[in-house]
Amino acid sequence: MTFRRILVQHEQKQTAALLPKPSWIKVKVNQSSVFNETDDLVKTHQLNTVCTEAACPNIGECWTKRHATIMILGSVCTRACAFCNVTTGKPSPIDLEEPVRTALMVQKLNLRHVVITSVDRDDLKDGGAQHFANVITEIRKLSPSITIEILTPDFLRKEGALITISAVQPDVFNHNMETVPRLYPSIRPGARYFQSLRILFEMKQYQPNVFTKSGMMLGLGESKEEVMQVMDDLRCAQVDFLTLGQYLRPTLKHAEVKRYVTPEEFEEYNHIAKSKGFLMVSSSPLTRSSYHADEDFKILQTKRQSTHLSN
């Protein structure tokens, strides 16, 4: 699939939005041979990416830099979140060869930092935790110097899942809160707000040196006070890195955009979050969980070192 075709599909889906998109949301076409090479590698290794499945607006920029967020455990999710474009249904059995294929692709892309995410797999006893661990292990066999960031489901009612993942020590553990607790019943009905907070906190207890990260979408009807309360809750859970981005409606079947948050408001949230003690904050209309993840990881390392030196 060419970048232009992906962009056209994304734009067609976005016409479902009831509010006209402001100028700061529009995505520039940035097709290149490197984009096509990345696309070919994804197809060759029979992998899924959240870039295509979730119709990410930054796919052109990221794939041109050979950055692709790999989505493991299939492309069908057991949840039906009102904001997400990933297909909901009955997933296929786990592909036991996926960890090796993922490691081969990461090696060919010559990545310094990779982001691995997945669909929710409520059908699995451990929610897919062991598969995450297997992917991390295989990547490190072929690319021992790489840093690995994982963006996981909430592992609701999956006892022991975090212990399995913490044992292989990802460099960054990311789980998104997505929105404020008041909106969970309509936006994230299969999830529980305090379960999401709990896994972020518990990962820090298991592995204090692992960076923890979480993100929210804005524009779903949340208030400023509610956003700041989530920030406070995340800091109580010792989360290091916060991402804030604009929610974009994939289709008419999904939750509508209540408003487009201005770049100035995102900048204000950036300052507020930093004042609350986050080690790092990424806050802009097009910010997504894995956007600029490699550059952000280097900054996180530098800031942690500076904090240790100052103490």
Side-chain angles (χ1 to χ4, degrees):
M1 183 182 292
T2 65
F3 170 67
R4 191 171 295 278
R5 183 178 172 188
I6 291 172
L7 184 65
V8 168
Q9 288 181 351
H10 177 69
E11 290 295 334
Q12 287 173 341
K13 289 169 183 173
Q14 290 305 313
T15 59
L18 298 180
L19 295 175
K21 285 198 297 185
S23 59
W24 61 79
I25 289 293
K26 296 185 179 180
V27 183
K28 295 180 181 179
V29 176
N30 187 24
Q31 187 171 6
S32 71
S33 60
V34 179
F35 176 95
N36 293 327
E37 288 172 16
T38 304
D39 186 38
D40 289 341
L41 276 174
V42 170
K43 290 175 181 175
T44 298
H45 295 287
Q46 299 176 303
L47 299 173
N48 299 301
T49 70
V50 75
C51 319
T52 53
E53 298 298 329
C56 179
N58 302 315
I59 187 171
E61 177 184 347
C62 293
W63 282 28
T64 297
K65 295 178 179 178
R66 292 188 172 88
H67 298 164
T69 299
I70 300 166
M71 191 170 75
I72 61 174
L73 292 165
S75 60
V76 178
C77 187
T78 54
R79 303 271 178 97
C81 297
F83 63 86
C84 184
N85 197 48
V86 175
T87 302
T88 301
K90 182 178 179 181
S92 301
I94 290 178
D95 180 355
L96 298 179
E97 298 301 316
E98 185 175 55
V100 173
R101 292 201 312 274
T102 301
L104 286 169
M105 176 180 164
V106 168
Q107 183 186 48
K108 289 179 180 178
L109 286 171
N110 195 29
L111 299 179
R112 297 167 302 187
H113 185 84
V114 64
V115 182
I116 307 293
T117 189
S118 80
V119 291
D120 274 282
R121 290 297 301 259
D122 295 314
D123 59 312
L124 300 176
K125 186 176 180 179
D126 69 347
Q130 186 59 57
H131 198 70
F132 263 102
N134 293 344
V135 169
I136 292 171
T137 299
E138 292 299 328
I139 289 174
R140 285 186 172 146
K141 283 180 183 177
L142 296 183
S143 307
S145 64
I146 198 170
T147 52
I148 300 174
E149 178 173 333
I150 58 172
L151 171 57
T152 77
D154 62 7
F155 298 120
L156 183 63
R157 304 182 188 94
K158 307 298 180 183
E159 293 302 321
L162 278 187
I163 295 174
T164 298
I165 289 178
S166 67
V168 292
Q169 298 183 33
D171 297 281
V172 181
F173 178 81
N174 187 356
H175 173 69
N176 286 331
M177 302 303 294
E178 305 294 7
T179 189
V180 300
R182 176 177 58 85
L183 297 178
Y184 264 54
S186 59
I187 300 301
R188 206 179 171 211
R192 302 293 181 270
Y193 180 77
F194 287 104
Q195 166 67 11
S196 290
L197 277 178
R198 184 176 73 86
I199 65 169
L200 288 161
F201 177 74
E202 288 190 354
M203 180 55 69
K204 207 67 169 175
Q205 309 317 298
Y206 291 135
Q207 294 290 349
N209 290 327
V210 170
F211 290 107
T212 50
K213 178 177 176 181
S214 190
M216 294 176 63
M217 303 169 294
L218 303 185
L220 285 163
E222 69 289 333
S223 69
K224 181 178 179 180
E225 290 73 22
E226 288 176 313
V227 173
M228 291 193 295
Q229 182 60 61
V230 176
M231 290 182 188
D232 288 338
D233 291 344
L234 288 171
R235 286 302 300 134
C236 286
Q238 300 176 21
V239 170
D240 300 300
F241 185 1
L242 174 66
T243 62
L244 300 171
Q246 172 69 51
Y247 166 66
L248 298 176
R249 190 183 199 186
T251 72
L252 278 174
K253 296 179 181 179
H254 292 81
E256 66 179 284
V257 178
K258 297 294 185 181
R259 65 185 289 262
Y260 286 105
V261 181
T262 66
E264 291 76 19
E265 289 175 281
F266 274 106
E267 184 60 26
E268 182 183 4
Y269 279 128
N270 180 45
H271 290 300
I272 292 171
K274 286 180 178 176
S275 73
K276 291 180 180 292
F278 288 98
L279 199 58
M280 187 164 179
V281 180
S282 179
S283 177
S284 74
L286 292 178
T287 289
R288 296 297 182 266
S289 288
S290 54
Y291 189 44
H292 294 164
D294 57 339
E295 293 98 329
D296 289 343
F297 180 75
K298 288 187 289 187
I299 296 171
L300 272 173
Q301 286 180 310
T302 301
K303 288 192 173 183
R304 174 178 281 176
Q305 290 168 358
S306 299
T307 300
H308 287 169
L309 287 173
S310 63
N311 292 336

